[in-house]
Amino acid sequence: RSRVVEELVGDLLCVFRKLLADTLYLELQPAIGVGSAFEGWSPDEDSAVYRLLVPLEPPRGYTFHLELGR
């Protein structure tokens, strides 16, 4: 099931990347599966929690700057 979720989110991200191309919005990167569902085990077999991390990159010509203490 986790593979299906990854593929679905990947397809959605692909559509958004095409729609947001050449804009000043953040660029969405491919999703990364995080957690037990993507490691092949789950504490409760009847329910699954899927956590996907979607890394963001700044638009072309911009950079991220970390601000400490916020």
Side-chain angles (χ1 to χ4, degrees), residues 16-17 20-21 23-29 55-60 62-64:
F16 280 112
R17 276 194 295 272
L20 299 175
T23 67
L24 293 179
Y25 288 104
L26 296 173
E27 294 182 13
L28 304 170
Q29 301 304 306
L56 301 173
E57 286 189 1
R60 291 183 190 130
Y62 291 85
T63 59
F64 286 140

Side-chain angles (χ1 to χ4, degrees), residues 31-54:
I32 301 168
V34 179
S36 61
F38 295 94
E39 295 167 4
W41 66 274
S42 177
D44 183 11
E45 293 180 16
D46 294 332
S47 64
V49 176
Y50 300 102
R51 291 183 179 97
L52 295 171
L53 173 67
V54 179

Side-chain angles (χ1 to χ4, degrees), residues 7-28:
E7 289 178 12
L8 175 63
V9 171
D11 292 344
L12 287 171
L13 290 174
C14 183
V15 169
F16 280 112
R17 276 194 295 272
K18 288 179 183 177
L19 289 174
L20 299 175
D22 299 324
T23 67
L24 293 179
Y25 288 104
L26 296 173
E27 294 182 13
L28 304 170

